[in-house]
Amino acid sequence: DAKTTQPPSMDCAEGRAANLPCNHSTISGNEYVYWYRQIHSQGPQYIIHGLKNNETNEMASLIITEDRKSSTLILPHATLRDTAVYYCIVSPFSNSGYALNFGKGTSLLVTP
Amino acid sequence: GAVVSQHPSRVICKSGTSVKIECRSLDFQATTMFWYRQFPKQSLMLMATSNEGSKATYEQGVEKDKFLINHASLTLSTLTVTSAHPEDSSFYICSARSQETQYFGPGTRLLVL
């Protein structure tokens, strides 16, 4: 699987947009970009994923560069409950199931 | 999204005993489930891939005789930690894939005294 690089930590003021970057310069054509977050002592929570196009759901937006070598997760209005470790993972999609390999992620702290 | 449950959420046991953790996909079927382990202040580490009706595939360094995995149905996988020791104390998390996405259980905190 392609490797990802994320900043170890970021801060964001409550109510502001949180923009979390991820580099995946060795991504392959069949690999998706997935974002998960893990709140302390809980299992990872799925946020969003994409292949080429930008994606948006009720939680966040995912912006993928045209060359697919990097992406940005955007939480439009961060709240204190968004404080968590955010993981950017690239993985091929397969019906048989590829395990997701977690890096160290970005620890996001949302402050009042 | 799809829901994955785990039971128990936390367990304390004596050294030398065995502990079974259940992982269920509640609203979908999963031919493949995954087991992860997470030590404090570290990321999730894949332990094994559980395949319904066949043997699990273990990652390098994970003892298959110590961590027994059974995937007897399309909605249930179990992880049994045999003869647990204090160094097995950790946060165990399972996951299952539904369509393009992998969903995770809430985790099981194991403390071996």
Side-chain angles (χ1 to χ4, degrees):
Chain A
D1 293 351
K3 300 285 188 222
T4 63
T5 303
Q6 299 178 252
S9 63
M10 293 182 63
D11 292 345
C12 178
E14 187 178 20
R16 304 296 294 270
N19 296 283
L20 291 87
C22 179
N23 285 322
H24 32 78
S25 59
T26 59
I27 191 170
S28 300
N30 67 337
E31 289 183 314
Y32 285 69
V33 180
Y34 290 87
W35 282 85
Y36 286 79
R37 71 181 182 185
Q38 186 177 27
I39 296 169
H40 184 62
S41 294
Q42 298 182 23
Q45 177 188 22
Y46 166 78
I47 301 173
I48 199 167
H49 75 283
L51 183 62
K52 297 180 187 178
N53 302 320
N54 298 336
E55 302 287 345
T56 295
N57 62 21
E58 64 278 5
M59 290 183 68
S61 294
L62 173 60
I63 308 298
I64 303 174
T65 58
E66 192 169 343
D67 62 8
R68 302 210 322 125
K69 292 185 177 182
S70 66
S71 61
T72 301
L73 178 74
I74 301 173
L75 306 178
H77 305 287
T79 70
L80 299 180
R81 288 176 295 181
D82 292 323
T83 291
V85 178
Y86 287 77
Y87 297 97
C88 167
I89 304 167
V90 292
S91 180
F93 166 66
S94 166
N95 284 329
S96 64
Y98 275 86
L100 296 177
N101 292 307
F102 287 74
K104 296 182 179 180
T106 295
S107 179
L108 175 68
L109 175 64
V110 181
T111 56
Chain B
V3 179
V4 176
S5 70
Q6 279 184 246
H7 179 80
S9 59
R10 58 181 62 197
V11 57
I12 301 172
C13 69
K14 293 182 179 180
S15 185
T17 61
S18 295
V19 175
K20 179 185 283 188
I21 303 170
E22 292 186 348
C23 175
R24 294 181 185 273
S25 56
L26 296 186
D27 48 3
F28 65 101
Q29 294 182 331
T31 56
T32 304
M33 292 184 175
F34 306 96
W35 287 96
Y36 293 80
R37 180 168 54 180
Q38 186 175 32
F39 292 108
K41 299 190 184 303
Q42 295 186 20
S43 188
L44 282 77
M45 293 295 295
L46 178 67
M47 297 177 65
T49 300
S50 169
N51 302 297
E52 187 267 335
S54 65
K55 292 183 179 180
T57 304
Y58 292 82
E59 295 299 299
Q60 190 173 6
V62 177
E63 300 175 57
K64 63 180 181 180
D65 295 330
K66 181 170 185 63
F67 299 100
L68 301 180
I69 292 172
N70 185 283
H71 194 155
S73 77
L74 290 173
T75 59
L76 173 64
S77 175
T78 60
L79 168 68
T80 301
V81 183
T82 62
S83 186
H85 289 100
E87 57 266 29
D88 298 322
S89 298
S90 189
F91 191 47
Y92 292 86
I93 309 168
C94 71
S95 70
R97 184 179 286 262
S98 174
Q99 299 180 340
E100 294 180 350
T101 305
Q102 196 166 326
Y103 296 93
F104 289 80
T108 296
R109 180 81 54 192
L110 171 62
L111 177 61
V112 184
L113 302 176

